[in-house]
């Protein structure tokens, strides 16, 4: 059994783990990042693509946004489509802020490159198998890399290993409470080699079910369709996907959907999940390991960044000033934002998706909410400030 030592052991090289590693590095704090997958895998994995203004501002401040500014698309509004008619929400006019379209795996490439530049450890194909003594002063992460079993001794463990990682499972039952909500539908997502059919995102409410028109670049469209929770991808040949999208994105004044070769397709379940607290002794959960939001508000990545923004400052206070205050407040500080975002994501999801059982009353309420949102400046502003992202908590990074 090999043995290593670091200050902060970080499990997972997603947005949470890589951002945390970088923030700690800027404070002069050493860490080892363990990633189960290969570099190629995480740099290609298709995930979300909407960055809140606060996320972009932080990347800017850290000098990590060079390529992002060259290649991303800045959006100042979005469209809600219902009853065959589009209604624009002018996000920037309402809030002074906007959102940035930049694929998560592109951000991962930038963060991996930044980490490798620091010369600090980022181990690929290194799967954590467990955490010993998370509640004590000397936690140990056990991991396996190729045929090697290694013990990583740390002061602090950051569980940034996503929803299916080992970190949350290392907390004894009874020390943690989970709040879970599963939706009776999923999203079928496709990436297509086709220019976006509209300059902005379109969230469509339709009798057949929800659809979303998004994009990655002037050449690549990202599209989603509401499907059944247990939908089999084999049931959706490309032509059925395009037909479904055409129907749901149809509008009375005409809409031409650009089509092209489908580069990637997959089904994602929608789920809301929160763990409380996000800490067990010296183990801190961040990002998807602590909470999941349905994709509708595009908040998962941004919430992960907000967590580690708080965690990095708390860890730095602990090392540099010997103060426990930040670490003790970590969970409650993060959970305030987490629950606000949970509500927003649940609300947006509930407003836009077709219910599996016929529910004419519910459908009328959805349409009433959509009409209110697109005709009242007060309602639109409330939506917009949540969508572009509330300011990051004070005192972070
Ligand atoms: N050992 C090492 N790495 C692991 C382990 C393990 N046992 N289990 C999981 N991982 C890795 C995964 O391979 C993944 O690269 O942890 C990483 C977790 O990254 P994400 O799933 O991207 O989670 P996070 O960093 O919290 O990012 C927030 O919210 O809505 C989503 O798409 C959004 O993925 C984004 C996430
Ligand atoms: C995406 O482009 O992947 C995307 C955009 C908006 C969402 C969800 C996903 O609400």
């Amino acid at each position: 059994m090999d043995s290593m030592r670091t200050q902060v052991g970080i499990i997972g090289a997603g947005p949470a783990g890589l951002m945390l590693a970088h923030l700690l590095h800027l404070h002069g704090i050493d860490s080892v990042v363990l990633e189960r997958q290969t570099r190629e895998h995480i740099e290609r994995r298709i995930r979300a693509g909407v960055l809140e203004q606060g996320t972009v501002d932080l990347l800017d401040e850290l000098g990590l946004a060079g390529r992002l500014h060259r290649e991303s698309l800045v959006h100042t509004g979005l469209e809600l489509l219902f009853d065959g008619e589009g209604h624009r929400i002018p996000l920037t006019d309402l809030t002074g802020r906007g959102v940035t379209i930049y694929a998560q795996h592109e951000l991962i490439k930038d963060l991996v490159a930044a980490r490798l530049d620091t010369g600090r450890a980022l181990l690929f194909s290194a799967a954590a198998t467990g955490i010993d003594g998370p509640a004590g002063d000397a936690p140990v992460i056990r991991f396996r890399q190729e045929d090697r079993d290694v013990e990583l001794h740390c002061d602090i463990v950051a569980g940034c290993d996503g929803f299916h990682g080992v970190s949350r499972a290392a907390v004894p039952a009874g020390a943690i409470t989970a709040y879970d909500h599963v939706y009776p539908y999923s999203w079928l997502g496709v990436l297509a080699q086709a220019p976006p059919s509209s300059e902005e995102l379109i969230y469509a409410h339709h009798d057949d079910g929800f659809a979303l028109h998004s994009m990655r670049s002037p050449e690549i469209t990202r599209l989603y369709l509401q499907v059944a929770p247990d939908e089999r991808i084999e049931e959706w040949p490309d032509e059925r996907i395009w037909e479904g999208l055409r129907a749901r994105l149809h509008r009375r004044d005409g809409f031409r959907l650009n089509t092209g070769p489908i580069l990637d397709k997959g089904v994602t379940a929608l789920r809301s999940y929160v763990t409380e607290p996000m800490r067990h002794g010296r183990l801190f959960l961040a990002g998807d390991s602590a909470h999941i939001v349905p994709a509708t508000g595009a908040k998962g990545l941004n919430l992960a960044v907000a967590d580690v923004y708080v965690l990095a400052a708390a860890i730095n206070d602990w090392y540099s000033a010997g103060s426990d205050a930040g670490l003790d407040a970590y969970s409650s500080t993060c959970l305030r934002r987490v629950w606000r975002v949970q509500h927003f994501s649940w609300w947006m999801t509930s407003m836009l998706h077709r219910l599996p059982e016929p529910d004419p009353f519910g459908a009328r309420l959805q349409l009433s909410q959509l009409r209110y949102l697109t005709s009242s400046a007060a309602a639109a502003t409330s939506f917009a400030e949540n969508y572009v992202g509330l300011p990051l908590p004070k005192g972070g990074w």
Side-chain angles (χ1 to χ4, degrees):
M1 174 80 70
D2 293 348
S3 175
M4 294 168 66
R5 198 191 139 75
T6 185
Q7 290 178 289
V8 181
I10 301 177
I11 310 176
L18 291 169
M19 276 297 275
L20 178 64
H22 199 75
L23 295 171
L24 293 176
H25 164 73
L26 296 175
H27 288 303
I29 298 169
D30 191 44
S31 62
V32 170
V33 183
L34 303 175
E35 170 54 52
R36 179 168 62 141
Q37 305 287 356
T38 62
R39 178 177 181 181
E40 294 67 36
H41 181 95
I42 65 165
E43 292 189 346
R44 258 192 239 139
R45 193 165 47 188
I46 306 297
R47 306 289 276 271
V50 180
L51 305 186
E52 292 178 359
Q53 183 85 55
T55 302
V56 173
D57 291 346
L58 179 61
L59 291 166
D60 252 334
E61 197 182 328
L62 305 179
L64 295 174
R67 193 166 72 93
L68 180 148
H69 285 306
R70 288 193 299 279
E71 298 183 10
S72 67
L73 306 166
V74 176
H75 283 199
T76 59
L78 59 77
E79 207 173 17
L80 294 172
L81 170 65
F82 56 95
D83 252 352
E85 226 179 280
H87 304 258
R88 184 169 190 266
I89 306 277
L91 298 169
T92 305
D93 290 349
L94 293 168
T95 65
R97 291 175 291 152
V99 292
T100 298
I101 309 297
Y102 192 59
Q104 181 171 318
H105 69 272
E106 298 297 342
L107 179 62
I108 292 291
K109 285 185 203 165
D110 299 340
L111 294 174
V112 166
R115 174 66 177 181
L116 296 176
D117 274 352
T118 67
R120 297 193 195 265
L122 164 53
L123 308 184
F124 292 104
S125 306
T129 52
I131 304 167
D132 295 333
D137 290 348
V140 177
I141 304 172
R142 280 177 281 107
F143 72 92
R144 192 173 173 80
Q145 191 181 33
E146 279 136 32
D147 288 332
R148 200 163 74 111
D149 284 309
V150 188
E151 284 185 351
L152 174 60
H153 295 258
C154 326
D155 299 326
I156 285 177
V157 176
C160 301
D161 45 353
F163 192 62
H164 302 288
V166 295
S167 301
R168 201 175 59 254
V171 181
I176 208 161
T177 306
Y179 299 87
D180 200 4
H181 182 77
V182 178
Y183 298 83
Y185 29 76
S186 288
W187 279 16
L188 170 65
V190 302
L191 195 68
Q193 180 92 45
S197 311
S198 157
E199 281 186 9
E200 295 186 335
L201 268 58
I202 306 169
Y203 289 85
H205 176 278
H206 191 277
D207 287 345
D208 294 349
F210 170 72
L212 170 60
H213 166 275
S214 179
M215 63 204 68
R216 290 290 178 268
S217 71
E219 297 83 34
I220 304 283
T221 313
R222 178 77 170 146
L223 299 141
Y224 298 94
L225 282 166
Q226 174 185 350
V227 294
D230 51 356
E231 194 77 33
R232 288 172 5 105
I233 194 99
E234 299 74 37
E235 308 282 328
W236 287 84
D238 294 0
E239 200 35 54
R240 182 173 175 209
I241 293 175
W242 290 118
E243 255 171 51
L245 287 164
R246 246 180 247 118
R248 298 183 196 190
L249 293 168
H250 170 81
R251 54 183 81 206
R252 278 196 290 280
D253 60 3
F255 182 74
R256 212 184 88 81
L257 180 66
N258 297 331
T259 61
I262 289 185
L263 309 171
D264 184 89
K265 61 177 159 178
V267 174
T268 313
L270 297 194
R271 182 170 203 160
S272 302
Y273 183 95
V274 182
T275 307
E276 288 194 12
M278 289 165 57
R279 170 193 192 174
H280 181 65
R282 294 280 186 90
L283 166 63
F284 294 84
L285 303 177
D288 274 17
S289 79
H291 41 70
I292 297 276
V293 284
T296 324
K299 293 293 178 203
L301 185 163
N302 297 289
L303 211 46
V305 169
D307 287 349
V308 299
Y309 170 82
V310 175
L311 185 56
I315 293 175
N316 182 45
D317 277 357
W318 189 68
Y319 278 116
S320 63
S323 166
D324 286 334
L327 291 180
D328 288 347
Y330 168 70
S331 179
S332 58
T333 303
C334 289
L335 284 168
R336 267 196 295 281
R337 183 185 191 84
V338 166
W339 279 110
R340 172 86 298 277
V341 170
Q342 284 291 353
H343 179 268
F344 177 69
S345 304
W346 163 85
W347 170 78
M348 211 176 149
T349 302
S350 312
M351 174 174 72
L352 289 166
H353 289 75
R354 188 175 69 96
L355 299 158
E357 301 299 326
D359 180 4
F361 180 78
R364 288 283 189 290
L365 291 181
Q366 289 179 326
L367 287 171
S368 168
Q369 181 63 50
L370 283 161
R371 274 187 220 108
Y372 178 51
L373 202 51
T374 51
S375 59
S376 152
T381 304
S382 169
F383 169 83
E385 77 166 349
N386 282 278
Y387 192 86
V388 301
L390 292 161
L392 286 168
K394 287 200 181 23
W397 119 244

